[in-house]
Amino acid sequence: MSNVELKNVYKTYDSDIVAVNDFNLKIEDKEFIVFVGPSGCGKSTTLRMIAGLEEISKGEIYIDEDLVNDVPSKERDIAMVFQNYALYPHMSVYENMAFGLKLRKTDKKETDRKVKEVAKILDIQHLLKRKPKALSGGQKQRVAIGRAIVRNPKVFLMDEPLSNLDAKLRVQMRTEIIKLFRKLETTFIYVTHDQVEAMTMGTRIVVMDNGIIKQVDTPEKIYDSPANIFVASFIGSPQMNLLDATIESIDDELYVAFDENKIKLPKEKAKILKDNSYIGKEVTIGIRPEHINEDRKLKDKDCMIKSKVEVIEHLGAESYIYTVCGKKSINVRVLETTKCKIGQIAHFYIEVKKLHIFDKETGNRIV
Ligand code: ADP
């Protein structure tokens, strides 16, 4: 069992930079938690506080119900994998992997068995005699992960472990880390600024901005029901379209209106808006590019918008259509190639069930 809990944790640098602001999170045993957010939002600082590499300014951190605020890093039974691998250059791969066990005075036979077992899992048996300088970036990363695994820690902490690898290797290592997580059945806490890594790896994602948690949930929930405009725009690629609109009531039906367009809202969304007195008010609407279609068989005027096609990108399996509606950009993502032409005023159809509506002032999700 390895739970980690952070209660009202703060980190202030130089008495005025609040890097982490009232962080509260309970991480259950065997979760793969990903901290994601733009650079400087406090992800690494939070991870380093859990590791004991950074003092906390206020609050409490527990590992397995034990308060660890004053427990030194090496006694926390955690292992950390860094972006720059942090291997000892003068030691061989074998010695690097065995180092932590040697410090713990593990017997030689047991150390040898563990190192070889882990080397096999990571497919680096043939590299054991090499020095780090004779390894590729991907191989170094495997050794760094191997060095963390041999110790059998309660919790794995990983700080942007893939960001020094090229795109292809990054995708490959991503899959390997997921497999490793399934195999080891340990708690993983993983920091990345890459929302694709977060979505594909995490069992739960913590989206952070400016030292504050903006949402904690499963990847599906974060994508389907972003809690606020920040999460809506940060998660998803291409980014969600966000537009100012007004809620209008016509003949007992509710519409979102922007420029010349009026989109009829489904009953359940309309009810929530009505109950919360949004009729006549300005809101921000969000629709993901993949939830706008150019399907001409769909003749439903209630979900149609007219928008001018400016740029088309053909990516093979899909196309991105960049359009302008009034003064607003609306991006559309379609599978296959589009029939649209550049310069044309085209009709697009919005999947109204997938429409998100946010309060314009607070930025929080209404429905
Ligand atoms: P992230 O990992 O999300 O990129 P960090 O946790 O590294 O962000 O940093 C969060 C904030 O704290 C940033 O504004 C950063 O400049 C600041 N910060 C980090 N380390 C220090 C430090 N040692 N001294 C002063 N400010 C720091």
Side-chain angles (χ1 to χ4, degrees):
M1 284 289 287
S2 349
N3 311 318
V4 177
E5 187 168 8
L6 293 94
K7 283 190 187 167
N8 307 106
V9 171
Y10 288 81
K11 177 71 192 184
T12 319
Y13 288 110
D14 309 330
S15 75
D16 60 345
I17 303 168
V18 186
V20 179
N21 193 340
D22 199 13
F23 196 102
N24 285 283
L25 181 69
K26 186 161 189 189
I27 301 169
E28 302 291 343
D29 189 32
K30 299 182 186 130
E31 276 201 276
F32 195 133
I33 287 282
V34 180
F35 296 164
V36 71
S39 180
C41 72
K43 309 176 292 286
S44 290
T45 303
T46 309
L47 196 76
R48 291 169 62 81
M49 287 192 286
I50 298 171
L53 300 173
E54 198 81 67
E55 246 182 70
I56 70 174
S57 307
K58 209 159 91 181
E60 290 161 358
I61 298 182
Y62 295 86
I63 298 178
D64 279 350
E65 330 301 334
D66 298 325
L67 184 66
V68 296
N69 284 28
D70 299 320
V71 176
S73 180
K74 61 179 191 307
E75 286 165 31
R76 291 194 187 188
D77 203 3
I78 46 109
M80 185 137 167
V81 178
F82 298 91
Q83 179 178 348
N84 61 5
Y85 321 124
L87 300 175
Y88 300 110
H90 58 288
M91 292 185 193
S92 67
V93 167
Y94 185 99
E95 287 162 341
N96 263 286
M97 287 173 70
F99 190 68
L101 297 176
K102 200 168 156 192
L103 282 187
R104 279 172 184 69
K105 309 220 181 325
T106 312
D107 96 22
K108 268 202 174 144
K109 258 199 179 148
E110 175 60 11
T111 300
D112 189 61
R113 192 189 64 75
K114 275 275 354 160
V115 169
K116 287 185 177 152
E117 180 191 305
V118 170
K120 193 167 167 213
I121 294 175
L122 292 164
D123 200 17
I124 49 174
Q125 305 103 301
H126 58 296
L127 304 174
L128 288 172
K129 289 196 183 122
R130 287 202 203 165
K131 293 270 169 65
K133 68 172 186 295
L135 302 175
S136 70
Q139 288 168 336
K140 280 184 198 154
Q141 193 50 273
R142 272 167 215 264
V143 176
I145 293 172
R147 185 177 57 179
I149 301 174
V150 285
R151 284 180 28 214
N152 224 358
K154 280 187 189 159
V155 186
F156 272 102
L157 306 178
M158 299 192 169
D159 192 357
E160 305 251 6
L162 307 184
S163 51
N164 283 341
L165 305 179
D166 65 51
K168 197 172 158 202
L169 202 54
R170 213 156 54 215
V171 173
Q172 192 185 332
M173 282 302 284
R174 195 166 82 198
T175 320
E176 295 205 15
I177 293 177
I178 298 169
K179 283 192 203 153
L180 202 61
F181 164 67
R182 301 244 162 83
K183 195 170 204 151
L184 299 177
E185 299 194 321
T186 316
T187 309
F188 275 48
I189 310 177
Y190 188 103
V191 161
T192 181
H193 63 274
D194 179 346
Q195 49 108 3
V196 177
E197 265 178 36
M199 288 295 283
T200 50
M201 299 175 92
T203 52
R204 275 198 305 159
I205 300 177
V206 179
V207 185
M208 294 178 70
D209 181 34
N210 219 354
I212 292 172
I213 296 184
K214 302 297 274 188
Q215 187 170 5
V216 182
D217 224 319
T218 59
E220 294 77 19
K221 287 262 180 62
I222 297 246
Y223 177 84
D224 290 337
S225 313
N228 45 60
I229 292 176
F230 178 82
V231 175
S233 60
F234 190 75
I235 299 287
S237 176
Q239 210 180 318
M240 184 188 283
N241 297 295
L242 292 162
L243 310 164
D244 290 339
T246 310
I247 304 294
E248 288 185 7
S249 172
I250 305 168
D251 296 337
D252 241 13
E253 300 279 2
L254 286 201
Y255 293 78
V256 283
F258 56 97
D259 297 316
E260 306 294 298
N261 306 287
K262 282 196 200 323
I263 298 164
K264 189 161 135 191
L265 291 167
K267 291 251 174 313
E268 59 285 12
K269 288 198 200 292
K271 182 169 184 330
I272 293 168
L273 288 160
K274 210 181 272 176
D275 290 351
N276 290 285
S277 318
Y278 277 99
I279 295 176
K281 282 198 184 159
E282 279 210 27
V283 292
T284 302
I285 60 168
I287 184 80
R288 295 198 185 278
E290 54 271 40
H291 297 143
I292 306 176
N293 309 308
E294 56 163 346
D295 189 348
R296 289 185 172 78
K297 280 176 271 172
L298 249 173
K299 282 287 177 228
D300 193 349
K301 280 220 171 66
D302 287 338
C303 66
M304 188 188 82
I305 57 167
K306 281 187 202 165
S307 202
K308 186 173 178 205
V309 177
E310 297 229 305
V311 176
I312 300 174
E313 287 176 358
H314 297 287
L315 301 177
E318 56 189 18
S319 303
Y320 298 158
I321 312 167
Y322 298 89
T323 77
V324 174
C325 181
K327 281 191 183 138
K328 297 166 179 121
S329 320
I330 297 184
N331 303 332
V332 180
R333 177 178 165 194
V334 290
L335 295 175
E336 310 156 16
T337 42
T338 170
K339 296 176 209 91
C340 287
K341 300 266 181 300
I342 291 172
Q344 173 197 4
I345 309 271
H347 292 175
F348 295 101
Y349 301 90
I350 289 184
E351 288 180 40
V352 286
K353 285 210 165 121
K354 305 282 171 107
L355 190 72
H356 308 270
I357 304 173
F358 303 96
D359 185 289
K360 205 173 162 198
E361 263 152 43
T362 63
N364 289 334
R365 179 185 188 80
I366 307 164
V367 63

